């Protein structure tokens, strides 16, 4: 959340040592702002759609903020 208590995305943290998100190009401290076309900033993210996109095997774009800089990464394999 920002200073005005607005959600600014989903923060990546290391809560479970058995899950290595670096395999997907994510780093601790990244803030995901959009995943597979779904905003994580406003409204309620459609977690089911996000999970389906993440496990589909197709490329998925992730907009995020890393070290204060916006960027886009792609996870998944081309069909």
């Amino acid at each position: 959340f920002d200073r005005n208590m607005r959600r600014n995305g989903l923060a990546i943290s290391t809560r479970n040592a058995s899950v290595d998100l670096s395999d997907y190009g994510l780093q601790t401290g990244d803030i995901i702002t959009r995943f597979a076309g779904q905003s994580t900033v406003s409204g309620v993210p459609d977690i089911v759609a996000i999970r389906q996109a993440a496990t589909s095997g197709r490329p998925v774009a992730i907009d995020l903020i890393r070290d204060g800089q916006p960027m886009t990464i792609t996870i998944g394999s081309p069909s």
Side-chain angles (χ1 to χ4, degrees), residues 28-54:
T28 299
D30 285 351
I31 300 171
I32 298 173
T33 57
R34 191 176 254 334
F35 189 101
Q38 295 285 322
S39 173
T40 62
V41 176
S42 61
V44 178
D46 184 344
I47 300 301
V48 172
I50 289 172
R51 181 180 175 151
Q52 287 174 339

Side-chain angles (χ1 to χ4, degrees), residues 7 9 12 19 23 38 52 62-63 65 69 71-72 78-79:
R7 185 175 60 219
I12 301 299
V19 177
D23 289 344
Q38 295 285 322
Q52 287 174 339
I62 302 173
D63 294 340
I65 300 169
Q69 299 298 312
M71 62 186 305
T72 300
S79 305

